[in-house]
Amino acid sequence: MAAMTTVPSYTASIWVRMCHALPRLDFGMQMRDNLFVPDSWEYQQTLLVLSSLSAIALVISLLVVLSFLIHYCCCHRGDRSEGSEEEEDEDGSTGHGYSGKKGKGICCVTWVAVAAVTLCCVAIGIGFYGNSEANDGMYQLTSSLLTANYTLASIDLLISDTISGLQLSVSGPLASMEELFSGSKPFLVSTRNCRRLSENVISLLSSISLARPSVDAGLLGNDSGVSGASITPLTPVPPSVAPTVVPTSNLLPNPFSPGWAANTLMVNEDYRWLSYVLLLLLDLIVCLFILLGLAKQARWLLILMTVLAWLFLFLSWGSLGLETATVVALSDFCSDPNSFVLNSTQFNMGTSSDVLDYYLTCSRRMNSPFQQLLTQSQRALSNIHSHLSSLDRNALPQFPKAEKSLREVQQILNSTEGNFHQLVALLNCRGLNKDYIDSLKGLCYDGMEGLLYLSLYSFLSALAFTAILCALPGAWRSFPRTPNVSSNGNPGYESLPLTDRQSPPPSYSPSMLTGYGGNQSHPNPPHSRNLYSR
């Protein structure tokens, strides 16, 4: 089917156009078009090829981390044989075990790890923003679908009530009036005209393409058939909630109604949002504990965080592949949504394409496809009202028993005309088209932007965890061996010389010296004071 006219008030964003312009390759490395056909195996192949790029990036990350591990494990074995002598020299020079070339290496490894953790924290902030944007877009989409479902349900209810009321008047009071007016031909003709016009209105309303009764037109003369009729809105299924199981009940919409789609989207969005929040929080906790382990030089904590970093490395690249496929598929849909909606909708009548085009575009140059039906129905209702007014003026003085039936028909007609005016307003394209535009904006603007930010989060997070896994093994090797412990359980600094303790000798006041040695003679008191006052 040819591409549809651009939807008023909606234009594809620059991100949609850029992602839509990406080249598509299938498994045979053959170029494919970028039309959104989710049921096509060729189209699914192009998405899988794009997702496989993250798998290639994962392999590269693993090779980089493996090379660093080999560097730390194999190339520095000679350092362990000289470790004791170097540590003794370093301990004697600084007291902390870090000096010279090794101290520079320790500083470099630590700062690389800190920079990687900082990058991971930035990625987490981007992820929270993207998750919020995606949630806002899905909320707008579901709200618009629920509003459209309410409009369609209102149309369904108005048509059902109108048909039921007219059918009640045909089978009830009009039939009684025909029996009463059987002896007066003019009144009988007017009554039969009312019945014929009522049946005509029933037939016209039943032919509206937006709804289809699940009963045959021949059953319209049966009260139970009318009251049990199910008028199914003709609406497409959004691409993100394509059904996998076809319901067997005839009362369910086929395709499903916007209400079903909105409820499904809300449930799925709740799980998606919560999953990302938990992933981001766990990611943040890992980063904070890595910083804590570096600050405290806790080797066991860094070992535990390294294991979790491996897990998040795989999760980051995996989520990036899934997000890439989703972003590209969404850009293909958002670039020309009307074509997909028209191609995926099941039509019941030959005019259904025009009906759907009318609601999708809502152009002022287009006339409503229901204009003729509504005009004919309005004329029929006006003629019924004229006949009833004539019977009220002329027949009731001669047939007073017909007053009750006539008043019932007039009451049903007034209710029918009220429903009819509401139906005319709801069948106008502006309401449903606004819901359609709002749903597109929520999905293709906020939703698309949120998915792009989530993709950026996954990419930066994967890079950060790759750098962390490369730097943490070097950080393990840089940490000293546990400090010497004395017999009383405190760190053994007592064995160090006083000058190596980096603390001044104690000083005493003259009064303390006098009190300590008051009964002793000191041959050179000034010399003693000077000695202790240094």
Side-chain angles (χ1 to χ4, degrees):
M1 184 175 293
M4 288 296 304
T5 307
T6 304
V7 182
S9 304
Y10 169 78
T11 54
S13 64
I14 185 173
W15 299 114
V16 170
R17 295 194 296 268
M18 291 176 59
C19 296
H20 182 65
L22 292 175
R24 311 299 169 83
L25 298 174
D26 58 8
F27 291 161
M29 295 295 108
Q30 299 293 327
M31 292 294 298
R32 297 289 182 179
D33 55 22
N34 51 9
L35 295 178
F36 183 71
V37 189
D39 295 335
S40 173
W41 170 237
E42 288 77 11
Y43 182 79
Q44 295 174 4
Q45 289 182 21
T46 61
L47 297 181
L48 291 175
V49 170
L50 291 174
S51 299
S52 64
L53 296 178
S54 63
I56 297 175
L58 174 61
V59 173
I60 295 175
S61 298
L62 294 178
L63 292 177
V64 172
V65 175
L66 182 61
S67 64
F68 271 85
L69 291 178
I70 294 175
H71 173 75
Y72 287 124
C73 294
C74 299
C75 298
H76 289 273
R77 283 187 176 180
D79 296 342
R80 294 185 179 180
S81 61
E82 301 175 358
S84 58
E85 297 179 0
E86 292 181 355
E87 288 186 1
E88 289 177 0
D89 295 339
E90 293 167 355
D91 292 343
S93 59
T94 63
H96 294 282
Y98 303 147
S99 66
K101 183 177 180 181
K102 184 176 181 180
K104 295 179 180 179
I106 293 170
C107 182
C108 179
V109 168
T110 302
W111 280 111
V112 167
V114 171
V117 173
T118 304
L119 178 62
C120 185
C121 294
V122 172
I124 293 171
I126 295 175
F128 273 110
Y129 178 76
N131 193 37
S132 177
E133 282 293 306
N135 184 258
D136 292 341
M138 297 304 294
Y139 176 78
Q140 183 174 351
L141 173 62
T142 53
S143 299
S144 302
L145 289 175
L146 288 175
T147 305
N149 184 73
Y150 178 79
T151 302
L152 293 174
S154 300
I155 295 174
D156 180 9
L157 181 61
L158 288 173
I159 293 177
S160 300
D161 289 347
T162 303
I163 293 176
S164 301
L166 292 175
Q167 184 58 41
L168 179 62
S169 67
V170 169
S171 62
L174 285 177
S176 300
M177 291 170 62
E178 288 183 3
E179 295 178 359
L180 292 175
F181 298 149
S182 60
S184 178
K185 186 176 181 180
F187 300 153
L188 180 61
V189 170
S190 297
T191 304
R192 288 180 176 177
N193 286 334
C194 290
R195 179 171 184 173
R196 178 181 55 82
L197 291 172
S198 299
E199 293 174 348
N200 188 25
V201 173
I202 293 174
S203 178
L204 290 173
L205 294 179
S206 301
S207 62
I208 292 181
S209 301
L210 267 183
R212 63 180 178 202
S214 61
V215 295
D216 296 334
L219 296 179
L220 291 176
N222 189 350
D223 292 344
S224 61
V226 173
S227 61
S230 174
I231 300 178
T232 301
L234 178 63
T235 51
V237 181
S240 58
V241 292
T244 56
V245 180
V246 179
T248 57
S249 176
N250 294 328
L251 298 180
L252 290 178
N254 187 20
F256 296 127
S257 66
W260 179 90
N263 293 330
T264 306
L265 281 174
M266 284 190 293
V267 173
N268 293 337
E269 175 60 18
D270 290 340
Y271 285 112
R272 186 208 63 80
W273 179 84
L274 182 60
S275 300
Y276 267 103
V277 168
L278 293 178
L279 178 64
L280 291 168
L281 290 178
L282 291 176
D283 202 345
L284 180 61
I285 291 174
V286 170
C287 293
L288 294 179
F289 273 101
I290 288 176
L291 290 178
L292 180 63
L294 291 174
K296 296 295 184 179
Q297 295 187 356
R299 183 171 299 181
W300 66 270
L301 183 58
L302 288 184
I303 293 175
L304 178 60
M305 293 301 104
T306 302
V307 175
L308 294 178
W310 279 106
L311 175 62
F312 278 98
L313 178 65
F314 283 91
L315 289 177
S316 298
W317 286 120
S319 62
L320 179 61
L322 181 61
E323 290 155 0
T324 301
T326 306
V327 165
V328 173
L330 185 59
S331 66
D332 294 339
F333 168 77
C334 294
S335 61
D336 188 12
N338 284 7
S339 296
F340 172 77
V341 172
L342 283 175
N343 292 330
S344 62
T345 303
Q346 300 179 0
F347 303 117
N348 301 317
M349 300 176 62
T351 59
S352 294
S353 179
D354 298 334
V355 170
L356 197 56
D357 191 12
Y358 169 71
Y359 284 103
L360 294 183
T361 58
C362 196
S363 176
R364 294 181 178 179
R365 295 172 296 180
M366 297 181 61
N367 294 324
S368 173
F370 309 113
Q371 187 64 41
Q372 185 177 1
L373 298 176
L374 295 176
T375 301
Q376 293 176 1
S377 300
Q378 181 65 44
R379 290 175 181 174
L381 292 176
S382 299
N383 291 332
I384 294 174
H385 186 75
S386 299
H387 286 293
L388 292 179
S389 298
S390 177
L391 292 174
D392 191 6
R393 291 191 307 268
N394 302 323
L396 287 185
Q398 302 180 22
F399 300 92
K401 293 183 179 180
E403 182 178 3
K404 180 179 179 182
S405 300
L406 182 60
R407 297 291 180 259
E408 291 179 1
V409 175
Q410 289 177 342
Q411 183 179 2
I412 293 174
L413 180 63
N414 292 333
S415 177
T416 300
E417 288 182 341
N419 291 341
F420 184 80
H421 291 305
Q422 296 182 31
L423 181 62
V424 171
L426 291 176
L427 287 176
N428 189 276
C429 66
R430 286 176 296 181
L432 288 175
N433 181 259
K434 181 182 181 300
D435 297 332
Y436 177 61
I437 297 299
D438 291 341
S439 63
L440 287 180
K441 289 182 178 180
L443 182 64
C444 300
Y445 289 172
D446 294 339
M448 185 72 176
E449 183 180 356
L451 285 176
L452 289 174
Y453 277 111
L454 288 176
S455 301
L456 180 61
Y457 149 72
S458 298
F459 178 71
L460 295 179
S461 178
L463 293 181
F465 281 112
T466 302
I468 288 173
L469 290 173
C470 293
L472 285 185
W476 298 348
R477 297 185 70 258
S478 66
F479 294 165
R481 293 171 303 186
T482 56
N484 295 327
V485 180
S486 60
S487 59
N488 58 358
N490 297 322
Y493 295 112
E494 289 77 2
S495 60
L496 297 177
L498 185 62
T499 57
D500 292 337
R501 294 185 182 183
Q502 303 297 327
S503 60
S507 59
Y508 302 95
S509 62
S511 60
M512 293 175 63
L513 293 175
T514 304
Y516 179 75
N519 298 329
Q520 297 180 2
S521 60
H522 299 282
N524 193 5
H527 175 71
S528 301
R529 293 190 187 95
N530 293 333
L531 177 64
Y532 287 102
S533 62
R534 289 178 183 177

